Amino acid sequence: MLILFSKPEKITFFPSPSFVPRSPLHNTMDPPFEEKYKSLLTNATLLSKDKDYVIMSDYEEHELPIIDLHRLTLSFSEREQCVKEIRQAAREWGFFQVVNHGIPQEILEGIQLEQRKAFHRPFSKKAEENILNLSCYTWGNPTATCLRQLSWLEVFHIPLTDISKISGEYKSLRESIEAYTATAEKLAEDLSEILAENLGVSSTFFQENCLPETSYLRMNRYPPCPFSSEVLGALPHTDSCFVNVLNQDQIGGLQLWMNEKWISVKPNPKALIINIGDLFQVASNDVYKSIRHRVLASKQAERFSLAYLYCPRKDAVIESTGMKPSMYRKFTFGELTEQNARDVKETGNKGGIPRFLV
């Protein structure tokens, strides 16, 4: 499937004020982090000296490779050069930016508005068991025993198979999710086919296994954090998908583990971020990189991001088909997600694809 990427107008993501002062509104909509984790915070149970969790006051800031997808619709040589740059970024960075990506401005603005409205409801409403008619809202980490296990973050994690359940007062949110995920799915499929062309993956694999209902939408909000020098917004992790289409605001805070150090990603108001997930690292036999990343908490600003996780069916077989000898044993996507769930329950972190190394 080839998306026709036309030239859009200038895009500005999440165009609200950057800094949000503490107010009675925040007192009602923010999760009660300080109350829930009082013992961890007051006992100065600081982050481990482990390099994954150390927080410094200053980091190198880098701009990710930026790729204009409109070039995929031009001459053969232009398309081939664009494909080459996509694959190179997947090998060397594991993250890259795309412009002229085919997702209309009005769809982006619509989902951003609805995301804000959902998170700005009172916490008591969000914490209801059946919010959005789903059990999809989480915050912090209820099993955290130290700050290295705590994310200063609240999330709506929505399986796309359940979108139809969102109704009533949330109808406009459902409509925005449907419009956004339809276009994000086309973008993710097109990029995945480009990345897989030289790996020996069947040309029909994604159409047969990555169906509209098998992926996930993760809406994130990072509330202002008075302990930002000791607590992370999101803990170091990789993504259990083929690719992630990430739409973030301009607050910053996203960091990648590159060359044995954390680097900060410079926000770009005109681009979406694409990152390679664990499944492509396995399919490419470690040619493409699923890079560990994390998010710093901000003392004054609330931060929003929106992740479309392009995933296959649970019974889809993941393997390094065209690369021998394979570094990973064959497994299904369901096996990976079940193993990750066990790891999180036992340790607070998922083991990921290293669990499946030969």
Side-chain angles (χ1 to χ4, degrees), residues 218-246:
R218 183 180 173 97
M219 300 193 300
N220 303 310
R221 176 179 177 261
Y222 302 83
C225 175
F227 307 96
S228 58
S229 62
E230 288 121 19
V231 179
L232 289 167
L235 298 176
H237 66 283
T238 58
D239 293 331
S240 301
C241 59
F242 277 108
V243 295
N244 175 24
V245 178
L246 179 66

Side-chain angles (χ1 to χ4, degrees), residues 180-224:
Y180 177 73
T181 55
T183 52
E185 189 263 344
K186 291 178 181 178
L187 172 60
E189 181 180 343
D190 192 63
L191 290 172
S192 294
E193 289 179 350
I194 287 171
L195 289 164
E197 279 174 355
N198 62 335
L199 300 180
V201 176
S202 167
S203 60
T204 60
F205 177 88
F206 297 105
Q207 292 182 24
E208 293 171 353
N209 290 281
C210 298
L211 310 176
E213 65 270 19
T214 61
S215 294
Y216 297 84
L217 185 71
R218 183 180 173 97
M219 300 193 300
N220 303 310
R221 176 179 177 261
Y222 302 83

Side-chain angles (χ1 to χ4, degrees), residues 62-65 88-96 256 258 263 289 291:
H62 293 256
E63 187 167 2
L64 296 174
Q88 181 179 356
R91 289 193 308 269
E92 297 178 1
W93 283 83
F95 276 72
F96 54 94
L256 314 183
M258 300 282 290
I263 63 170
K289 307 301 182 187
I291 298 295

